[in-house]
Amino acid sequence: MRPEASMPPPVVIVLASGRGERFLASGGSTHKLQALLGNKTVLQHTLDAVRGSGLPFYLEASGSPGMGDSIAAAVRANSEASAWLILPADLPLLQPETIRRVAEAPAQQAVVRPVYQGRHGHPVRFARALGSQLMGLEGNQGAALIVKAQGATELIVDDAGCVTDIDTVQDLQQVQQILQARQP
């Protein structure tokens, strides 16, 4: 039996602690994650994709003051994971297959991120060896400095959902049009 076979699976960390201020400033009447897209919220669409991936996940919605704080808290809560896939909760078009492909990239790659048509997307996978760095994050910076320091392996994907986030009411309307176009 290979040693990796006994390792726990990677955990998808869904970041849902942000305040959504840009969405509210653009005319939104609710938090962007609670905004409706069809008959489900933005958050529910994202969680459906995560569930569809078959991977364990952790919803970080503690209200941490910044993205770095949220990532640190979620990694601490899932310190036994073999890796962490960091996923902002405002990506309702993300496909489960993209999540699986990022999770299944070779374990020796410290940081893996999907790329769609030249744009860096999410989720971003961080190897177990980076756990202490992730747990040390603070403030609004997130994990960008870790990605920069480590260099990221780019995984080319055919999933616009990995780069299509909801920051404004206009973003929400565009995603609604995409979802309507997909319906038979």
Side-chain angles (χ1 to χ4, degrees), residues 45-55 57 95-97 99-100:
H45 280 279
T46 304
L47 290 176
D48 286 351
V50 173
R51 285 185 187 101
S53 76
L55 293 167
F57 71 94
Q95 298 298 307
E97 178 62 22
I99 300 168
R100 278 192 298 273

Side-chain angles (χ1 to χ4, degrees), residues 97-106 109 111-121 123 125 152-159 162:
E97 178 62 22
T98 299
I99 300 168
R100 278 192 298 273
R101 286 193 58 210
V102 172
E104 293 168 354
Q109 296 170 338
V111 179
V112 178
R113 65 178 167 198
V115 176
Y116 174 75
Q117 295 184 351
R119 294 175 58 200
H120 297 133
R125 190 191 77 196
T153 299
E154 295 185 346
L155 180 66
I156 306 301
V157 297
D158 186 24
D159 179 5
C162 78

Side-chain angles (χ1 to χ4, degrees), residues 2-14:
R2 295 178 332 190
E4 306 89 51
S6 63
M7 286 291 292
V11 173
V12 181
I13 293 178
V14 182

Side-chain angles (χ1 to χ4, degrees), residues 11-72:
V11 173
V12 181
I13 293 178
V14 182
L15 299 175
S17 287
R19 295 185 295 274
E21 292 171 346
R22 286 184 284 176
F23 186 80
L24 294 170
S26 74
S29 59
T30 185
H31 190 285
K32 67 181 180 178
L33 298 180
Q34 298 310 314
L36 285 177
L37 274 171
N39 60 354
K40 296 189 282 191
T41 65
V42 169
L43 177 60
Q44 192 59 53
H45 280 279
T46 304
L47 290 176
D48 286 351
V50 173
R51 285 185 187 101
S53 76
L55 293 167
F57 71 94
Y58 179 84
L59 180 63
E60 172 52 43
S62 66
S64 295
M67 186 181 292
D69 303 295
S70 294
I71 293 169

Side-chain angles (χ1 to χ4, degrees), residues 62-182:
S62 66
S64 295
M67 186 181 292
D69 303 295
S70 294
I71 293 169
V75 171
R76 275 193 297 274
N78 293 277
S79 60
E80 74 290 346
S82 61
W84 302 273
L85 280 74
I86 307 298
L87 175 63
D90 65 347
L91 291 157
L93 299 178
L94 181 66
Q95 298 298 307
E97 178 62 22
T98 299
I99 300 168
R100 278 192 298 273
R101 286 193 58 210
V102 172
E104 293 168 354
Q108 69 270 23
Q109 296 170 338
V111 179
V112 178
R113 65 178 167 198
V115 176
Y116 174 75
Q117 295 184 351
R119 294 175 58 200
H120 297 133
H122 284 91
V124 178
R125 190 191 77 196
F126 294 87
R128 183 171 180 78
L130 299 174
S132 61
Q133 291 178 51
L134 292 168
M135 288 184 239
L137 292 172
E138 295 178 329
N140 291 324
Q141 183 62 39
L145 293 177
I146 297 172
V147 172
K148 185 176 181 180
Q150 294 293 321
T153 299
E154 295 185 346
L155 180 66
I156 306 301
V157 297
D158 186 24
D159 179 5
C162 78
V163 296
T164 307
D165 60 345
I166 305 291
D167 287 324
T168 65
V169 170
Q170 183 181 8
D171 295 339
L172 183 72
Q173 292 166 344
Q174 290 172 344
V175 168
Q176 184 66 50
Q177 291 172 352
I178 293 167
L179 286 175
Q180 287 173 339
R182 287 182 180 174

